[in-house]
Amino acid sequence: METTGAAGAGRLPTPGEAAEFARALYETPEAYAGHGPVPVLAHEPGASLRERRESFRGVYEAVVARIGEPTLYGGSAHGPNVRWRDERRIVLLAGDCHRARLSVHDTDALESGEMRTFDWGGAWSADEPHDFDLLPYIWQLDRTGPGERPARRTGGRMAPSLCHFESALELMLAAWVEQLPVQVGDDWAGFSLTSGADRGRQLQISYALAEGLHVSVDDRDGEDSPARARLMRSRGWQSRDRGWWQAEFPDPERRETAEAARLAIAELRARGTSDPKELRARDVSCKDRGELLLPGLGIRH
């Protein structure tokens, strides 16, 4: 069961028309069986994360106003992936760097296909290219909204090397910058990284629209000396507060998300981590509300 057919051929629908189409998919999915996703938004070529975020906002808010909050918030490496779900059908509002589209799917067919992607894809060695950018979603948030949550959740894609993990982390942070503020407003999302090679230490990563992107590492056991400060600044850290070195990116775009990922991986390497299997993502949360899954992060959590 998939969909097509929008308000008026040859033009994109208004947000109100897109919302009405979403209502039709939600209430009468059988009427749209056998058709493909319908474009409801087009981004300008080369649009920034911020520009894509704000252009998506109008359609998203109109759809939510018409059919209610989604069952599952989320997104892929390319754009949002928002679901109104029950055991029979999924209404999907999904986007990429070019457009956003509405569709309706048979729940079991869509989720079974996605599980096969998670279960059988991926790089088998550090020499192969990653496929985090091909996953159907790399983050998903369940706040027990309307509808029914899936009985099975993916374990995610594991990174075979720290280089792969850096790519996954960069994609995750860019997705958060573009997608989170529209779906959860000013709520923050974040997690801590811990390593078996450096037990007891935390490296924290968080993002919120108001605060921007924040990365910090516990260095309370390090010397508070000019030499230590020069070393930490050479790695990319900006300031020290009560033993924690920090870097802040108030209005991040792709360059800043890449720098945040590079900084985190460089610090982990400097402290002895050599394999993503040594890493865990702890305290994964979106403002301590609901269950935040990160199947595209590349490590266990």
Side-chain angles (χ1 to χ4, degrees):
M1 181 196 303
E2 294 185 343
T3 67
T4 194
R11 70 172 179 88
L12 289 170
T14 66
E17 290 170 338
E20 185 59 28
F21 181 56
R23 184 199 60 78
L25 299 180
Y26 188 78
E27 294 181 353
T28 58
E30 61 281 352
Y32 299 90
H35 300 285
V38 172
V40 293
L41 171 69
H43 298 299
E44 292 294 328
S48 67
L49 299 177
R50 185 186 313 110
E51 290 167 339
R52 283 161 50 176
R53 180 176 72 210
E54 295 311 312
S55 63
F56 181 73
R57 187 186 299 277
V59 171
Y60 175 79
E61 290 180 349
V63 171
V64 169
R66 190 64 54 89
I67 64 175
E69 291 293 329
T71 312
L72 297 167
Y73 307 89
S76 73
H78 298 290
N81 187 291
V82 189
R83 302 174 182 223
W84 290 261
R85 181 196 184 279
D86 62 23
E87 63 179 9
R88 182 171 62 98
R89 57 95 178 99
I90 292 174
V91 174
L92 180 64
L93 177 57
D96 58 25
C97 61
H98 303 294
R99 64 186 65 84
R101 302 185 294 184
L102 272 166
S103 55
V104 68
H105 305 260
D106 176 85
T107 298
D108 183 65
L110 178 64
E111 293 180 345
S112 294
E114 291 177 339
M115 286 299 170
R116 286 192 293 272
T117 298
F118 281 110
D119 290 345
W120 299 108
W124 292 96
S125 74
D127 297 327
E128 296 181 345
H130 72 78
D131 70 344
F132 296 107
D133 56 335
L134 301 180
L135 296 176
Y137 52 89
I138 59 173
W139 72 274
Q140 198 168 75
L141 175 63
D142 181 357
R143 284 186 163 172
T144 63
E148 301 173 23
R149 63 185 296 173
R152 181 190 172 199
R153 297 297 183 93
T154 175
R157 171 78 75 250
M158 297 296 104
S161 73
L162 287 180
C163 289
H164 286 76
F165 175 49
E166 182 175 343
S167 296
L169 180 57
E170 179 182 343
L171 291 172
M172 183 72 66
L173 297 180
W176 281 6
V177 170
E178 178 188 352
Q179 300 158 22
L180 272 172
V182 174
Q183 299 182 46
V184 302
D186 291 329
D187 290 358
W188 55 266
F191 55 89
S192 296
L193 293 174
T194 62
S195 173
D198 189 23
R199 294 188 182 277
R201 193 178 313 281
Q202 293 186 51
L203 191 154
Q204 297 182 344
I205 300 174
S206 65
Y207 172 73
L209 181 62
E211 287 79 26
L213 182 58
H214 182 92
V215 186
S216 61
V217 64
D218 184 356
D219 192 49
R220 287 174 293 179
D221 57 343
E223 294 180 3
D224 185 7
S225 67
R228 183 67 177 176
R230 285 193 296 270
L231 173 64
M232 297 301 284
R233 292 183 189 279
S234 73
R235 293 178 185 169
W237 299 104
Q238 299 167 358
S239 62
R240 188 175 190 267
D241 181 24
R242 289 169 289 184
W244 287 73
W245 279 94
Q246 305 173 76
E248 297 180 350
F249 307 92
D251 193 15
E253 280 289 339
R254 291 199 178 276
R255 185 177 71 176
E256 289 77 18
T257 58
E259 173 58 20
R262 184 211 63 78
L263 175 60
I265 303 309
E267 190 65 27
L268 291 168
R269 288 185 187 275
R271 296 179 183 271
T273 299
S274 60
D275 192 306
K277 293 178 182 178
E278 299 173 288
L279 297 172
R280 298 290 184 277
R282 313 280 189 185
D283 303 318
V284 178
S285 180
C286 185
K287 203 181 179 181
D288 299 325
R289 287 183 54 208
E291 181 183 17
L292 177 61
L293 301 177
L294 307 178
L297 184 58
I299 60 173
R300 286 185 283 177
H301 69 285

